[in-house]
């Protein structure tokens, strides 16, 4: 049954993505919590990379990557986001899919502060997911993908197991794939590590864009095998 114009909105709308239930909150404006451009990335994490692994999902918001990782057999997921509502939204998606939240960790904190804390504690993860906004403000200052992505990669590698997987994502139309690769490589070098690209994802096929305007193909996701 669909919504009737003029009737009270009934939220959330639960959608199915590759057999997984995710909640979409249209009352939240642009931040509905369901971003279909990443669906092939989530599917790959579930089907190929999560089984038996510890997964750190940063800038996690609704925890969608964590849900797919958990359903793919991850040993444990850790979701970190600064927004207070991220905890409730991640729990919601866990419960929709019958995932026991007690077996996973949801942390409301600045990702950069969490990196420092986790590094001091010697915490390492098999899979680390980076999907930051192109620009954001927090207690520690501002984050700009163009200026700060390399440092983000450097920090993330410190928490990645030797031989682990770093998933680096960017959705800024002003950063093309070649430039993004250079930013990531700079971070790898600063971490004194090596990285091999295992997979590269762009927009799904049904996301049409003008091929004369390459900026329209904004999504860039690199799956990197890290060697320290």
């Amino acid at each position: 049954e669909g919504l009737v114009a003029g009737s009270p909105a009934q939220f959330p709308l639960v959608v199915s993505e590759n057999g997984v239930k995710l909640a979409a909150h249209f009352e939240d404006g642009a931040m509905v919590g369901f971003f279909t451009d990443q669906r092939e990335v989530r599917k790959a994490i579930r089907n190929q990379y999560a089984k038996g692994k510890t997964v750190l999902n940063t800038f996690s918001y609704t925890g969608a990557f964590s849900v797919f990782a958990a359903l793919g057999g991850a040993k444990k997921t850790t979701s970190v986001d600064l927004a207070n509502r991220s905890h409730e939204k991640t729990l919601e998606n866990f419960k929709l899919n019958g995932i026991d939240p007690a077996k996973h960790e949801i942390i409301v904190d600045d990702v950069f502060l969490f990196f420092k804390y986790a590094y001091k504690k010697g915490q390492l993860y098999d899979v680390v997911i980076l999907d930051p906004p192109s620009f954001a403000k927090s207690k520690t200052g501002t984050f700009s993908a163009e200026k700060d992505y390399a440092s983000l990669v450097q920090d993330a590698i410190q928490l990645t197991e030797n031989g682990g997987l770093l998933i680096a994502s960017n959705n800024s139309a002003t950063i093309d794939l070649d430039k993004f690769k250079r930013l990531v490589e700079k971070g790898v070098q600063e971490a004194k590590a090596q990285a091999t690209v295992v997979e590269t994802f762009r927009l799904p096929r049904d996301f049409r864009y003008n091929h004369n305007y390459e900026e329209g193909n904004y999504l860039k996701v690199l799956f990197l095998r890290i060697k320290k």
Side-chain angles (χ1 to χ4, degrees):
E1 295 182 8
L3 296 177
V4 178
S7 68
Q10 298 180 22
F11 299 108
L13 176 67
V14 178
V15 298
S16 177
E17 177 189 290
N18 291 312
V20 177
K21 295 177 181 179
L22 295 171
H25 288 265
F26 289 95
E27 76 275 24
D28 285 343
M31 300 300 288
V32 299
F34 178 61
F35 308 103
T36 58
D37 54 358
Q38 293 275 15
R39 69 174 183 268
E40 295 303 320
V41 178
R42 289 190 283 265
K43 181 180 178 181
I45 290 171
R46 179 191 65 186
N47 293 359
Q48 298 170 245
Y49 298 102
K51 189 173 182 179
K53 306 298 185 183
T54 54
V55 178
L56 173 61
N57 178 17
T58 64
F59 307 97
S60 57
Y61 192 37
T62 64
F65 286 121
S66 300
V67 169
F68 273 77
L71 293 175
K75 186 187 304 181
K76 180 182 178 182
T77 68
T78 301
S79 307
V80 184
D81 196 287
L82 181 60
N84 286 323
R85 59 184 177 176
S86 65
H87 188 275
E88 178 184 346
K89 290 181 178 295
T90 302
L91 281 178
E92 179 180 44
N93 281 327
F94 278 168
K95 292 176 181 178
L96 282 173
N97 292 280
I99 299 167
D100 183 359
K103 297 181 180 180
H104 302 273
E105 193 171 17
I106 305 170
I107 299 172
V108 177
D109 196 3
D110 184 305
V111 170
F112 300 97
L113 293 178
F114 173 81
F115 277 159
K116 293 179 181 178
Y117 167 82
Y119 180 69
K120 288 180 180 178
K121 293 289 185 179
Q123 294 176 199
L124 292 172
Y125 301 86
D126 299 311
V127 180
V128 178
I129 303 168
L130 299 177
D131 186 25
S134 296
F135 182 83
K137 291 183 179 180
S138 71
K139 295 177 182 178
T140 57
T142 59
F143 172 82
S144 164
E146 194 151 353
K147 294 180 180 178
D148 303 314
Y149 208 103
S151 295
L152 181 65
V153 169
Q154 180 184 6
D155 289 344
I157 288 175
Q158 292 181 326
L159 302 185
T160 306
E161 288 276 9
N162 185 28
L165 191 73
L166 177 64
I167 300 173
S169 175
N170 174 263
N171 62 4
S172 173
T174 61
I175 299 175
D176 63 21
L177 180 59
D178 288 339
K179 184 172 185 178
F180 182 54
K181 286 181 177 179
R182 290 195 297 271
L183 290 172
V184 171
E185 179 59 29
K186 182 181 178 183
V188 172
Q189 291 175 353
E190 289 176 349
K192 295 180 173 58
Q194 295 178 332
T196 302
V197 178
V198 179
E199 290 198 68
T200 301
F201 288 85
R202 304 302 304 273
L203 286 173
R205 291 181 181 179
D206 56 347
F207 275 69
R208 296 185 178 182
Y209 66 95
N210 187 333
H211 289 265
N212 294 318
Y213 183 71
E214 185 58 29
E215 290 89 341
N217 191 10
Y218 60 86
L219 184 67
K220 305 157 289 286
V221 186
L222 303 176
F223 282 47
L224 303 154
R225 188 67 64 189
I226 301 299
K227 183 178 179 181
K228 298 182 182 180

